[in-house]
Amino acid sequence: MRYRAIFLSDMHLAARACRSEDLLSFLKSHDAAVIFLVGDVIDFWRLRRGPSWRASQTEVIQQFLAKAQAGTRLVYIPGNHDEELRILAGTTLGTLEVRLRAIHDTADGRRFLVVHGDEFDDVVNKARWLAVLGDIAYDVASAVNVGVNVVRRAMGMSYWSLSAWLKYRAKRIFNGSKFEGLLTAEARRVGATGVICGHIHHACVRIIDGVQYVNTGDWVDSGTAVVEHFDGRLEIVRWTDQLRALQSKPTKTPVAPVTS
């Protein structure tokens, strides 16, 4: 599949829960003229707690580099988990650009502010220790997830992410709807008609006070991306859900021909 633009965030390469295999299959089967990496691509917080890098995560990096070498424009906007790379903001290496934020004009004439979003999160800005503690708790919840879904699968139930539910509930408790409101207000301030962000691991596309709010989701729980079609339409691609649906389809056993 080829699109005008692809927006990916919160891959958390180095985290044990990173769905790097799903992300790799997505990158191999999807392409665009420009790919925005909207923060938390590499999880330096997790790396500081100990090595957990997998071969598939190296392959993801190689896929991005291969796309850049083939002429795809890559715009990297570091988030709070890879904030060390913000020192490189303004750097351009071939088709790879590092920016603190970007403006993207869609094919139908709309203007979007593209930003990770952590600067609008009160917990990250005012209680960093709580954000770090929450990140550790998220790791634990991701490990518990495996057991929870073994039981759900045995009961014939669909996949459900405990860690994603806890993270989203925690964000709503500490930030309420303030996060989305601040982002849409900032988009309006800079003259944009919408904002595309990540950070809270909850993919959605909706209108808030006349401004389109788009969140790309993540590649730890949901495995989602936002794509722009050639007519300017924005769509959430729930790639991990698509893979699960394919894997759950029963395979037909071939019927042996009857011989006389």
Side-chain angles (χ1 to χ4, degrees):
M1 296 291 293
R2 186 166 179 83
Y3 300 96
R4 189 170 182 268
I6 295 174
F7 303 84
L8 300 160
S9 78
D10 298 274
M11 289 162 255
H12 290 275
L13 299 175
R16 286 193 178 93
C18 169
R19 295 188 176 279
S20 48
E21 292 82 5
D22 291 0
L23 176 56
L24 190 58
S25 71
F26 176 86
L27 292 174
K28 287 180 176 179
S29 54
H30 296 74
D31 209 349
V34 55
I35 298 177
F36 288 88
L37 308 178
V38 196
D40 288 358
V41 175
I42 300 173
D43 195 331
F44 287 99
W45 291 18
R46 185 62 189 81
L47 281 173
R48 285 194 286 270
R49 296 203 296 270
S52 58
W53 194 270
R54 300 194 300 273
S56 58
Q57 294 169 346
T58 299
E59 289 184 68
V60 167
I61 298 294
Q62 290 171 340
Q63 274 293 313
F64 283 129
L65 293 176
K67 288 179 182 296
Q69 289 173 354
T72 298
R73 180 183 169 218
L74 291 181
V75 181
Y76 190 165
I77 300 170
N80 52 306
H81 283 257
D82 49 10
E83 62 188 353
E84 290 85 348
L85 300 179
R86 284 175 172 164
I87 195 173
L88 300 175
T91 301
T92 300
L93 182 61
T95 60
L96 174 63
E97 308 167 19
V98 182
R99 302 283 183 265
L100 294 180
R101 52 172 57 188
I103 295 291
H104 175 69
D105 295 314
T106 58
D108 55 2
R110 291 174 296 161
R111 172 160 287 200
F112 281 83
L113 169 67
V114 187
V115 61
H116 180 64
D118 61 290
E119 59 264 54
F120 301 93
D121 185 336
D122 282 347
V123 175
V124 171
N125 292 318
K126 298 177 181 178
R128 189 178 177 88
W129 65 271
L130 187 58
V132 174
L133 184 63
D135 188 58
I136 295 170
Y138 187 70
D139 262 4
V140 174
S142 295
V144 173
N145 241 14
V146 177
V148 168
N149 280 288
V150 167
V151 174
R152 287 178 63 86
R153 192 159 48 247
M155 297 174 64
M157 300 171 71
S158 61
Y159 178 88
W160 178 75
S161 176
L162 170 66
S163 53
W165 182 82
L166 289 173
K167 186 178 183 74
Y168 184 64
R169 291 298 299 169
K171 292 287 185 183
R172 298 295 294 183
I173 290 169
F174 288 109
N175 284 314
S177 59
K178 187 178 179 182
F179 177 79
E180 292 94 337
L182 288 172
L183 278 161
T184 51
E186 179 65 8
R188 190 182 294 108
R189 187 188 71 82
V190 300
T193 55
V195 59
I196 299 173
C197 65
H199 187 57
I200 63 170
H201 294 204
H202 184 72
C204 74
V205 177
R206 61 194 183 97
I207 302 295
I208 300 175
D209 294 331
V211 177
Q212 189 162 28
Y213 169 84
V214 181
N215 196 295
T216 63
D218 69 280
W219 289 89
V220 176
D221 288 302
S222 56
T224 55
V226 168
V227 299
E228 181 197 350
H229 292 270
F230 287 99
D231 60 1
R233 178 170 52 92
L234 297 176
E235 178 189 6
I236 297 172
V237 177
R238 300 185 182 276
W239 186 245
T240 292
D241 284 353
Q242 291 182 32
L243 292 178
R244 286 198 194 105
L246 286 172
Q247 291 163 2
S248 65
K249 283 184 179 179
T251 53
K252 293 182 179 180
T253 305
V255 179
V258 178
T259 56
S260 54

